[in-house]
């Protein structure tokens, strides 16, 4: 098996396993797909990469080179952007509990927009703006009450969500009062994010319609950011909507709604993350053991929930192949299990695979989002290396963590 012209077995020999592999050309194609299609001649548009999906310096360099903007949610993600000299005017800083340190760093580095999640955060931001004599552009994150049909842990817009404020609630009204009396806060518009791994564009249309109706109450054209969460293909039953269809549908829906309501907006933003990197990523493992129980056949891999927590966290499903046996009969019903001391350390359950032996390589598909970024050192596991491949060439972008690095912070 080759990825972008690079033999997977060669990568195993060079970098060992577990190993995160990214098809760089695939990432660039996805970014350009959004940039080329998310356009309107009636309002400005902006495509932000949601860096929480996969945030390493080389990835943010690709975002910078493509001309995309950036969504960050922590000091670490912000510092990663600073490390590659990303244009801070194109950075949007999210989060429901930003620390004083994080807000201070954003102000000191002239981050373009802070997405304010709640009243207490706005008070903190106002105080820090006064302290540093800095003005700040903000969007208010609204909870629009649209529930996408996805796992409960990744739905973010039901009325009791930890994210955002309800329109015309006491908290919202207090925020608008503070903004009206502030010499530092520049209110620019609203943000909404309804969930992740969504295949139904009607959910986005409903959220967008609610935001546009709210715009009627403002004299100036606003910026609307409708977030991300566009679904990708993990398994055969997943039917993602292509990014050109997503982009054009959202633009068309927005233009029609604006015309119907006879209003204008300044800009419409989206925040794809998973749909840019997920299908471009793979995780490569070595099978270390095979076990047959009365009801199961296990293939044990040299990674697990420490490099991919999603199956344990919210029952995410994946496809996989045995390298060199992709075309062989898939005669075994297998549970792919990791090496952590947890019964729930299962990467894939009941997947048809060819008969394997110890030392075979197993590769899981569509692991480019939330694999590396949610990895952990549970059981003192080491974080795998990350390799980009493109046109027959491989490039190490993150070294494999060493034992010394794992222990160096411990006193």
């Amino acid at each position: 098996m080759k990825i972008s012209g690079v033999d997977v077995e060669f990568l195993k020999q060079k970098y060992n396993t577990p190993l995160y592999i990214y098809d760089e050309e695939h990432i660039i194609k996805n970014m350009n797909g959004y940039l080329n299609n998310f356009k309107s001649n009636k309002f400005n548009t902006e495509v932000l990469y949601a860096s929480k999906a996969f945030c390493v310096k080389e990835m943010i360099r690709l975002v910078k080179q493509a001309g995309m903007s950036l969504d960050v949610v922590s000091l670490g993600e912000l510092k990663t952007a600073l490390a590659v000299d990303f244009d801070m005017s194109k950075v949007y800083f999210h989060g429901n509990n930003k620390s004083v340190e994080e807000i201070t760093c954003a102000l000191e580095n002239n981050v373009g927009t802070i997405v304010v999640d709640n009243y207490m955060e706005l008070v903190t931001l106002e105080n820090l703006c006064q302290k540093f004599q800095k003005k700040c552009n903000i969007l208010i994150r609204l909870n629009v009450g649209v529930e996408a049909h996805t796992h409960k842990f990744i739905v973010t817009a039901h009325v009791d969500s930890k994210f955002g404020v309800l329109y015309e609630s006491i908290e919202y009204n207090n925020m608008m009062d503070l903004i009206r009396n502030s010499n530092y806060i520049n209110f620019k518009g609203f943000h909404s994010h309804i969930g992740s791994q969504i295949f139904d564009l009607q959910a986005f249309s409903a959220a967008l319609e609610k935001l546009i109706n709210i715009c009627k109450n403002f004299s100036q054209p606003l910026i609307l950011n409708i977030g991300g969460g566009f679904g990708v293909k993990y398994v055969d039953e997943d039917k993602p909507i292509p990014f050109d269809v997503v982009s054009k549908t959202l633009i068309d829906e927005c233009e029609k709604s604006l015309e119907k309501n006879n209003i204008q907006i300044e800009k419409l933003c989206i925040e794809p993350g998973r749909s840019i990197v997920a299908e471009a990523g793979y995780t490569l493992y070595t099978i270390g053991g095979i076990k047959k129980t009365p009801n199961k056949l296990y293939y044990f891999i040299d990674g697990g929930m420490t490099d991919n927590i999603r199956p344990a966290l919210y029952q995410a499903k994946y496809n996989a192949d045995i390298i060199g046996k992709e075309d062989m009969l898939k005669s075994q019903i297998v549970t792919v299990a990791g090496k952590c001391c947890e019964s729930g350390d299962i990467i894939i359950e009941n997947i048809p695979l060819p008969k394997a032996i110890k030392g075979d390589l197993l590769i899981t598909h569509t692991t480019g989002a939330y694999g590396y970024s949610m990895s952990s050192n549970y059981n003192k596991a080491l974080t795998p290396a990350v390799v980009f491949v493109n046109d027959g060439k491989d490039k190490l972008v993150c070294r494999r963590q060493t034992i010394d690095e794992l222990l160096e912070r411990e006193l």
Side-chain angles (χ1 to χ4, degrees):
M1 177 180 176
K2 291 186 177 183
I3 302 173
S4 193
V6 180
D7 189 86
V8 169
E9 294 190 52
F10 165 78
L11 294 175
K12 149 70 177 177
Q13 295 303 318
K14 187 171 181 178
Y15 299 109
N16 212 339
T17 56
L19 180 66
Y20 296 112
I21 305 168
Y22 282 84
D23 183 338
E24 183 176 355
E25 185 179 18
H26 194 159
I27 294 173
I28 294 169
K29 180 186 119 187
N30 288 348
M31 290 193 293
N32 289 334
Y34 279 113
L35 289 168
N36 293 334
N37 289 284
F38 193 70
K39 292 180 177 180
S40 171
N41 57 13
K42 297 185 178 178
F43 46 79
N44 294 321
T45 58
E46 190 171 11
V47 181
L48 290 60
Y49 171 63
S51 63
K52 60 182 176 289
F54 174 56
C55 184
V56 299
K57 287 192 282 188
E58 188 65 16
M59 180 64 209
I60 306 307
R61 288 190 191 102
L62 291 183
V63 175
K64 177 182 174 182
Q65 291 164 12
M68 290 180 71
S69 297
L70 191 66
D71 151 2
V72 301
V73 300
S74 70
L75 184 63
E77 290 180 358
L78 178 57
K79 290 285 190 179
T80 304
L82 287 166
V84 301
D85 197 27
F86 200 91
D87 183 353
M88 287 294 111
S89 70
K90 298 175 72 172
V91 173
Y92 288 66
F93 199 163
H94 292 260
N96 67 298
N97 189 27
K98 303 179 191 71
S99 68
V100 169
E101 181 185 15
E102 287 172 328
I103 296 174
T104 299
C105 182
L107 293 175
E108 288 176 343
N109 289 283
N110 300 309
V111 162
T113 306
I114 293 181
V115 181
V116 178
D117 201 90
N118 52 69
Y119 176 69
M120 290 184 68
E121 180 187 311
L122 185 60
V123 172
T124 301
L125 177 60
E126 166 74 7
N127 292 338
L128 290 171
C129 285
Q130 290 182 21
K131 177 180 177 180
F132 297 112
Q133 293 294 292
K134 288 265 195 178
K135 292 190 175 182
C136 180
N137 296 325
I138 72 160
L139 301 180
I140 291 178
R141 178 161 180 170
L142 286 183
N143 187 333
V144 294
V146 175
E147 293 194 38
H149 297 291
T150 184
H151 192 282
K152 68 177 181 179
F153 291 167
I154 49 179
V155 171
T156 57
H158 60 77
V159 294
D160 292 315
S161 170
K162 75 173 191 176
F163 297 107
V165 296
L166 297 172
Y167 180 61
E168 290 191 328
S169 62
I170 293 174
E171 184 170 16
Y172 170 85
N173 291 334
N174 288 339
M175 293 174 79
M176 296 309 296
D177 286 342
L178 190 156
I179 289 166
R180 280 189 287 269
N181 293 314
S182 174
N183 294 318
Y184 299 94
I185 305 295
N186 297 323
F187 171 69
K188 303 295 287 183
F190 295 107
H191 174 274
S192 165
H193 181 70
I194 60 174
S196 296
Q197 189 60 356
I198 301 168
F199 298 114
D200 182 6
L201 282 182
Q202 290 184 341
F204 292 102
S205 299
L208 186 56
E209 185 72 26
K210 289 197 172 191
L211 290 175
I212 289 172
N213 280 328
I214 291 170
C215 288
K216 295 177 185 177
N217 300 315
F218 294 85
S219 56
Q220 83 274 23
L222 299 180
I223 295 172
L224 298 182
N225 185 330
I226 54 173
F230 313 117
V232 302
K233 184 175 182 178
Y234 286 102
V235 291
D236 291 342
E237 53 262 38
D238 292 334
K239 306 297 180 188
I241 304 167
F243 44 67
D244 56 339
V245 177
V246 169
S247 300
K248 291 175 180 177
T249 301
L250 293 175
I251 293 292
D252 289 347
E253 291 282 335
C254 188
E255 289 178 348
K256 290 176 186 174
S257 183
L258 291 173
E259 183 176 358
K260 181 179 75 174
N261 289 284
N262 193 30
I263 60 173
Q264 292 181 327
I265 60 170
E266 178 183 339
K267 182 162 54 178
L268 183 67
C269 308
I270 54 171
E271 298 171 340
R274 181 199 312 267
S275 56
I276 288 175
V277 294
E279 294 182 43
Y282 307 78
T283 309
L284 184 67
Y285 304 100
T286 301
I287 295 175
I290 296 168
K291 177 181 177 179
K292 184 77 172 72
T293 70
N295 300 299
K296 283 184 179 290
L297 174 64
Y298 288 100
Y299 287 179
F300 295 153
I301 55 173
D302 56 351
M305 64 191 297
T306 50
D307 56 73
N308 186 357
I309 190 64
R310 295 184 68 253
L313 186 61
Y314 32 70
Q315 297 79 58
K317 296 181 179 179
Y318 289 90
N319 274 328
D321 281 302
I322 306 296
I323 299 301
K325 299 180 178 180
E326 295 89 346
D327 296 326
M328 289 179 59
L329 178 65
K330 296 182 177 181
S331 58
Q332 314 289 309
I333 302 301
V334 177
T335 293
V336 179
K339 61 181 294 180
C340 292
C341 292
E342 295 286 341
S343 296
D345 183 21
I346 304 295
I347 295 298
I348 310 175
E349 195 156 18
N350 298 327
I351 179 174
L353 286 174
K355 187 175 182 180
I357 61 173
K358 180 180 174 67
D360 276 350
L361 300 180
L362 182 142
I363 193 164
T364 51
H365 302 271
T366 316
T367 60
Y370 304 107
Y372 178 85
S373 62
M374 298 177 80
S375 62
S376 77
N377 291 129
Y378 179 57
N379 288 169
K380 293 286 190 177
L382 303 177
T383 304
V386 181
V387 174
F388 280 18
V389 293
N390 193 345
D391 194 23
K393 297 179 181 178
D394 60 281
K395 174 171 56 181
L396 180 66
V397 302
C398 291
R399 290 183 293 102
R400 185 177 306 280
Q401 188 180 28
T402 67
I403 290 290
D404 287 344
E405 289 169 337
L406 181 70
L407 300 176
E408 66 184 358
R409 292 179 295 117
E410 299 180 15
L411 304 180

